[in-house]
Amino acid sequence: MSPRTTRIFGGAHVKKISLLGLVALAACSSHFVPDGSQSKSSAPGAGTIEDDGPLAVVTDGPVAASAFSASHVEGRTRPLLVGDVTATDATLSFVALKRDVFRLNDAARELKVKRIERDDLQMTHVRMQQVVGDVPVFGAELTAHYAKDGALVTVDAALVPDAAKVDLVAKKTSLEAITVAHDDIRATDARFDVARVAEGPSPELVICATDGGVPTLAWRIETRGGIDGAPTRMVTFVDAKTGAIVDKFDNIQTVAGSGAGVRGETKPFEVSQTGGNYSMLDTVRTPGGIRTNTANNTQNIPGTLVTSTSATTWTNAAAVDAHAHATRVYDFYKTILGRQGIDGANGAMISNVNFGAAYNNAFWDGQQMTYGDGDGRTFRAFSAGLDVVAHELTHGVTERTSGLIYQNQSGAMNESVSDIFGTFVDNFVKPNPATEWIMGEDIALGQSGKRDMKSPRNGQQPANMSQFVRTTQDNGGVHINSGIPNNAAYLMTMGGTNDASALRVAAGIGFAKSAKLWYRANTTYFQASTDFAAAARGTLSAARD
């Protein structure tokens, strides 16, 4: 189903764009609704908000089945960021004016600014967190986007309308909630040992609105580690009144499935020298350092820094690959997208290799990338894959920008964004049309790779919403349903035909434009709870910019 053409932007008609509209293959529950309320209201110090043409309001249909009130407004107001008017004031005024769309009673009390950015297109972007008092509503955000002249052009919101009614008095303490969370993990896996739990974020009171549920005051408990042989980052929401578990998901973000690297290729990289010793620490690219550690086949995190007595002799091939590949990913983000490292501020980038014994995976744990050595039968060392390293590092970028929740459709988008940038980095470093759209081709033994973005069915993934898999496994299918946006990204970039729908795209926009478009969509338009429908809108907004 394609988006219906609606009058927006000064009355001009929007043509159907088959190229980017492919992402809307996942958005068949969306429809455009002309907003009947013409915008005329006082904004602080700005006179009136007056539309040049009718606004378009997008709402999601019943397929979304979420407690969130998802809304997308696009059009063009008159310039609002004039005189002393701030982006915060203008946004709050607009949301208050459109309370029938955003369903907030008091925008000034229920929205708190997370960040305000002005980009290289001179657009201003405001990201706000929904709150009740000082308690955040988990996953509930509103973003507003202003053109260079200060006109409001797009607002995206995923809000919980009834959150303000939640009683904020907790009857259960954070310590009681931690016990509930740990007991639940132990009930699932008897190997869980509290003594193995690593220090993580402090318990936090939040409003939790699970899919189809009612907003509930809950303790958000993040448990790092605790299970021998299975790295975890379990996020558990415990009802602050009753102690019942409201929701949970594992936030370990994985890809399943000069020195010589694992495959014998000699790779140049920067090291640091202290006396007669050298260490895998690159401070040339970033003051925070690109650092490569080893767990020495234990589950030690963060591991110990890899060292050598020679700058050109390194016996740890997995570390060579992880270190060299991390620098290439850094170079891609800086050269192509202007981003300096995972946090955008040249913070530390840490890799940890030789994790566990024959561990067949790699993961991002919120602080660093960790790679297993593989079992030697199905996979070789996971750091041998440049796209794998780019995938894990991109999880870090996503966590620090859009914050896509690693569950259900937003989790599948999180996985897909990492796959997509794995391909973009592959193409940037060493283009190979035969393999660059296959995820993990350099680590797979006896198979072509883990996921095929050109033909998702080759990796047993859906390519279209008609094949969407509803499951409680894999955090709601994050590694499964990512095939849908993965294929959309392939068709957008290269052109081709969707396996399931037979919809054909005559030509793609190419790697350079696609990389910038997806980066802008993820960092500017995607929100924590962005599903496939909202991602379709976000990529279209990025393309329009």
Side-chain angles (χ1 to χ4, degrees):
M1 173 176 146
S2 299
R4 196 175 71 212
T5 301
T6 304
R7 283 166 52 83
I8 57 175
F9 287 95
H13 284 275
V14 175
K15 297 180 180 178
K16 292 179 181 177
I17 308 175
S18 61
L19 193 58
L20 295 177
L22 274 163
V23 187
L25 289 170
C28 290
S29 61
S30 300
H31 58 283
F32 284 84
V33 181
D35 182 13
S37 58
Q38 290 302 302
S39 307
K40 292 187 178 182
S41 175
S42 295
T48 61
I49 297 174
E50 187 173 327
D51 301 328
D52 293 334
L55 291 173
V57 178
V58 180
T59 57
D60 288 340
V63 174
S66 173
F68 292 101
S69 173
S71 303
H72 171 80
V73 178
E74 61 185 46
R76 185 179 180 85
T77 67
R78 295 197 183 283
L80 304 183
L81 307 186
V82 294
D84 296 331
V85 179
T86 66
T88 299
D89 288 340
T91 302
L92 291 175
S93 294
F94 185 81
V95 173
L97 172 68
K98 297 292 182 183
R99 62 170 51 90
D100 58 324
V101 172
F102 299 109
R103 299 169 65 187
L104 294 182
N105 292 323
D106 190 339
R109 289 179 178 271
E110 296 181 69
L111 293 173
K112 179 181 179 180
V113 173
K114 292 179 69 173
R115 64 177 180 266
I116 299 176
E117 299 173 326
R118 190 169 177 84
D119 64 23
D120 55 359
L121 298 180
Q122 302 304 303
M123 292 183 69
T124 299
H125 308 281
V126 182
R127 186 175 292 262
M128 293 182 165
Q129 169 72 53
Q130 185 181 0
V131 296
V132 180
D134 292 326
V135 178
V137 182
F138 183 73
E141 296 178 317
L142 179 141
T143 50
H145 309 277
Y146 294 85
K148 181 178 180 179
D149 65 355
L152 181 62
V153 291
T154 310
V155 181
D156 291 289
L159 304 172
V160 179
D162 296 327
K165 298 177 182 178
V166 174
D167 178 9
L168 299 182
V169 179
K171 294 183 179 180
K172 299 293 182 181
T173 67
S174 60
L175 290 178
E176 289 174 313
I178 291 172
T179 299
V180 170
H182 288 178
D183 286 348
D184 181 72
I185 298 171
R186 187 179 295 106
T188 303
D189 194 322
R191 295 175 298 168
F192 179 76
D193 181 358
V194 173
R196 291 181 175 272
V197 172
E199 184 177 355
S202 300
E204 178 188 23
L205 272 178
V206 300
I207 306 295
C208 179
T210 58
D211 283 355
V214 296
T216 303
L217 182 69
W219 286 104
R220 180 185 185 275
I221 308 298
E222 182 170 317
T223 306
R224 296 175 184 263
I227 300 177
D228 186 28
T232 59
R233 186 186 174 195
M234 184 62 68
V235 178
T236 309
F237 296 89
V238 179
D239 191 315
K241 304 285 189 185
T242 68
I245 292 178
V246 178
D247 196 13
K248 62 182 179 179
F249 61 92
D250 192 344
N251 206 27
I252 281 285
Q253 297 170 14
T254 67
V255 52
S258 93
V262 171
R263 306 187 72 182
E265 299 171 326
T266 299
K267 296 178 170 69
F269 46 79
E270 299 291 336
V271 297
S272 296
Q273 182 178 9
T274 303
N277 291 318
Y278 299 86
S279 58
M280 282 192 177
L281 176 63
D282 179 351
T283 57
V284 173
R285 285 175 169 82
T286 165
I290 298 175
R291 176 187 298 266
T292 302
N293 297 339
T294 175
N296 288 310
N297 298 120
T298 69
Q299 292 190 34
N300 180 25
I301 293 177
T304 56
L305 187 62
V306 177
T307 61
S308 174
T309 56
S310 169
T312 57
T313 303
W314 300 85
T315 59
N316 192 327
V320 168
D321 281 337
H323 197 64
H325 288 162
T327 64
R328 304 301 182 267
V329 178
Y330 177 92
D331 291 346
F332 165 82
Y333 269 97
K334 183 175 182 180
T335 302
I336 303 300
L337 303 171
R339 184 178 188 85
Q340 297 179 317
I342 293 174
D343 62 0
N346 271 329
M349 290 170 52
I350 305 172
S351 300
N352 189 25
V353 299
N354 313 127
F355 180 84
Y359 183 62
N360 263 340
N361 219 327
F363 59 88
W364 161 260
D365 68 1
Q367 297 175 323
Q368 66 183 64
M369 293 81 70
T370 296
Y371 307 96
D373 287 333
D375 59 9
R377 297 184 304 275
T378 308
F379 296 106
R380 57 171 59 92
F382 276 65
S383 60
L386 174 61
D387 55 358
V388 175
V389 173
H391 176 108
E392 299 307 338
L393 193 150
T394 298
H395 276 311
V397 174
T398 294
E399 184 163 313
R400 285 158 173 74
T401 54
S402 61
L404 287 163
I405 298 170
Y406 203 62
Q407 187 180 33
N408 302 326
Q409 287 193 26
S410 60
M413 282 307 309
N414 192 319
E415 272 298 307
S416 180
V417 167
S418 280
D419 278 357
I420 291 165
F421 278 92
T423 290
F424 290 159
V425 172
D426 259 356
N427 178 265
F428 171 74
V429 175
K430 190 175 181 180
N432 184 346
T435 61
E436 60 196 6
W437 290 98
I438 296 174
M439 185 67 201
E441 73 278 5
D442 287 332
I443 65 170
L445 297 170
Q447 55 180 316
S448 60
K450 190 62 183 175
R451 291 187 285 276
D452 189 332
M453 301 169 73
K454 178 179 179 181
S455 298
R457 63 188 175 193
N458 291 340
Q460 298 181 322
Q461 285 188 298
N464 179 274
M465 278 302 285
S466 64
Q467 301 172 330
F468 184 84
V469 178
R470 299 185 184 281
T471 177
T472 58
Q473 302 299 312
D474 186 34
N475 278 359
V478 299
H479 292 95
I480 301 168
N481 291 314
S482 58
I484 296 171
N486 275 1
N487 187 244
Y490 168 78
L491 295 171
M492 178 191 302
T493 306
M494 307 300 293
T497 302
N498 180 267
D499 284 346
S501 68
L503 181 63
R504 175 171 173 73
V505 178
I509 60 177
F511 279 97
K513 290 182 180 179
S514 194
K516 292 180 179 180
L517 186 150
W518 276 96
Y519 178 74
R520 186 171 184 83
N522 187 34
T523 60
T524 302
Y525 289 103
F526 290 178
Q527 300 171 333
S529 58
T530 288
D531 58 12
F532 289 176
R537 297 192 291 267
T539 53
L540 287 167
S541 293
R544 187 161 48 237
D545 293 345

